Amino acid sequence: DIIHWNNGVWDTMRLYGDGTFTTLEDYKKTILRMAKIMTEYYGKKVIFATTTPVDDRYPYSKNEDILKFNAAVVPELEKMGVIINDLHSFVAPHVDEYIKEGDFIHLSEKGIDACAKPSDAASLGAFDLASLCFDRPALNKAGVNCDLLPTVQKDGFVGKTAEGIPVTVAIGDNQAAVYGALGNQAGVSVNVGTGSQVSVPLAALPEQAECEIRPYLFGAYLGVDCPLCGGRSYALLRDFFAQTLAAFGAETSGDLYTPLNALLEKGEEKYLSSAPCFTPLFCGTRTSPKSRATIEGISDKNFTPEAFAFALVEGMAQELWEGYEKIAGGLSVAHLAASGNGIRKNPVLARALQRKFGAPLTLPEGKEEAAFGAAKYAFALKENAFALCEKNPNAANAL
């Protein structure tokens, strides 16, 4: 009966020095087109949530952009009868409390509690992974009215569009990206963009786990470990060299990633077995938020820019490997699928991951793994691949 939605976090990001991901004009046009479809074709009560602010320390988004993007669509949406859930105005006075420290963009636990609705119980920990349903006894005990909770839809179709196109149940972006990268193969998915994560499909729910366990597809589970800084570590390295160059009066307005990647190549060639040990915990960890980055093993032989840069990239790969060990105990890896521009545009990091995981690394042909995975999931359901895979574990080849 209600559609509650937002687009804007990625649209307002600036990563490559060429402006926001989406131009303001295209953003406005697309949002209004989506609202028209939702209100006119489906006749639902539509609620638009404004994009929330970021901490000023977040390097990839500017609050002034977020304000402009919100302001461009809100008045027009209101004219169309769309209800505005102004999360931006609600969060903005409490950024220090409601935005996650070290992450600088997502809501903190306190922010989630302040902003979320009861139907978001799964993300708040009120979801029973064993039954893949809301933990209603616990919620009742906590005094939550369970009548407010939606029905949890398992794998399958939930309806059709006005044109008769089947619509599948929504899946998470992490799950979609892993399915887009791995398909039905057993293996490990590593992603490095602004953040990073390592994900492993699991056939059954583990009795104990050091990592985060999420529902996956077709009744399976996903073990996930997400370093807090991840791919941003490489951006910090770029900033470090930019500030060093500026301190010596050099020009730093151009592309620094190309010479930095060349520096990495030299570092790998010269210091493959003798680089310092860099632990890039710039923002701590989920279990130890006060931990910080360290660098050890510096000598008069490896105290060079290329060794420093190479050591950081090795540390990024090591952090993901340690996350995999939490999930699977360090079992040998049969297939390593990678995604994200942090790997696509950094061959040295790709090779470092291959060395750490002891397996060849493959990059999917499509660069939008989540979108590809969501489409692939819908296709698998349409072709009744789920039932096929239950009867024949080798049915993945049929896909």
Side-chain angles (χ1 to χ4, degrees):
D1 297 326
I2 295 174
I3 299 175
H4 183 283
W5 112 99
N6 162 267
N7 292 93
V9 174
W10 276 98
D11 298 281
T12 56
M13 291 188 74
R14 296 171 176 265
L15 283 182
Y16 305 113
D18 56 356
T20 55
F21 266 11
T22 306
T23 65
L24 184 60
E25 180 182 355
D26 285 345
Y27 176 76
K28 182 177 180 180
K29 185 189 304 181
T30 304
I31 291 293
L32 297 183
R33 178 172 174 267
M34 292 170 67
K36 181 178 180 180
I37 292 172
M38 286 185 264
T39 55
E40 293 185 6
Y41 286 86
Y42 299 105
K44 303 289 187 181
K45 180 182 288 185
V46 179
I47 304 172
F48 178 78
T50 54
T51 302
T52 50
V54 297
D55 189 298
D56 287 334
R57 291 171 289 177
Y58 187 66
Y60 306 111
S61 295
K62 298 180 179 180
N63 281 315
E64 60 190 70
D65 289 330
I66 294 173
L67 283 168
K68 288 178 183 177
F69 276 55
N70 283 334
V73 298
V74 166
E76 300 300 320
L77 290 171
E78 289 179 323
K79 292 177 185 177
M80 300 171 68
V82 174
I83 300 169
I84 304 300
N85 179 11
D86 195 359
L87 289 180
H88 184 282
S89 295
F90 180 70
V91 172
H94 309 285
V95 166
D96 290 346
E97 293 180 272
Y98 291 171
I99 299 298
K100 190 180 295 183
E101 177 65 29
D103 176 287
F104 305 136
I105 185 170
H106 294 104
L107 293 175
S108 64
E109 290 298 323
K110 194 169 184 179
I112 292 172
D113 289 338
C115 295
K117 305 298 181 187
S119 60
D120 290 325
S123 64
L124 295 175
F127 195 79
D128 179 32
L129 286 168
S131 63
L132 295 177
C133 292
F134 289 101
D135 192 342
R136 292 176 180 270
L139 289 167
N140 283 323
K141 191 174 181 180
V144 176
N145 181 5
C146 289
D147 292 337
L148 298 172
L149 300 174
T151 301
V152 177
Q153 175 70 43
K154 300 296 193 297
D155 294 293
F157 293 99
V158 294
K160 294 183 178 180
T161 67
E163 296 80 14
I165 300 172
V167 178
T168 70
V169 62
I171 59 176
D173 58 352
N174 173 220
Q175 290 86 341
V178 172
Y179 194 59
L182 283 175
N184 291 294
Q185 299 181 71
V188 181
S189 170
V190 290
N191 175 280
V192 180
T194 53
S196 68
Q197 62 187 11
V198 54
S199 306
V200 182
L202 304 172
L205 179 65
E207 294 183 7
Q208 293 183 329
E210 295 183 44
C211 64
E212 181 181 356
I213 302 297
R214 300 175 181 175
Y216 190 41
L217 309 177
F218 309 129
Y221 295 88
L222 201 62
V224 183
D225 188 78
C226 305
L228 287 182
C229 210
R232 183 169 162 244
S233 297
Y234 197 57
L236 290 173
L237 180 66
R238 186 272 315 270
D239 293 345
F240 171 81
F241 282 115
Q243 292 170 28
T244 303
L245 290 169
F248 285 92
E251 176 60 42
T252 61
S253 60
D255 170 34
L256 289 183
Y257 280 117
T258 298
L260 183 54
N261 285 352
L263 190 71
L264 278 180
E265 296 280 355
K266 293 179 181 178
E268 181 184 43
E269 180 181 349
K270 189 173 181 180
Y271 299 103
L272 183 59
S273 60
S274 60
C277 179
F278 207 138
T279 306
L281 302 180
F282 296 105
C283 299
T285 68
R286 294 180 186 275
T287 55
S288 181
K290 293 184 178 180
S291 295
R292 288 296 177 262
T294 61
I295 184 166
E296 299 177 340
I298 300 175
S299 71
D300 59 338
K301 301 293 190 298
N302 63 11
F303 188 42
T304 65
E306 55 264 41
F308 182 80
F310 177 63
L312 174 65
V313 168
E314 284 278 291
M316 291 169 61
Q318 178 66 25
E319 193 174 21
L320 287 166
W321 167 253
E322 290 174 359
Y324 172 69
E325 287 186 309
K326 295 177 187 176
I327 301 169
L331 293 174
S332 61
V333 177
H335 178 55
L336 180 64
S339 59
N341 282 333
I343 300 175
R344 290 184 183 277
K345 296 186 176 184
N346 193 331
V348 175
L349 176 57
R351 291 193 290 269
L353 288 166
Q354 288 187 126
R355 288 192 295 272
K356 297 295 181 183
F357 283 82
L361 182 145
T362 60
L363 282 162
E365 292 183 11
K367 295 181 180 179
E368 296 294 338
E369 290 83 4
F372 176 66
K376 190 172 183 178
Y377 167 74
F379 174 78
L381 289 176
K382 185 176 183 300
E383 297 298 316
N384 202 22
F386 179 30
L388 181 63
C389 290
E390 278 191 317
K391 296 177 182 178
N392 179 9
N394 296 320
N397 294 329
L399 296 178

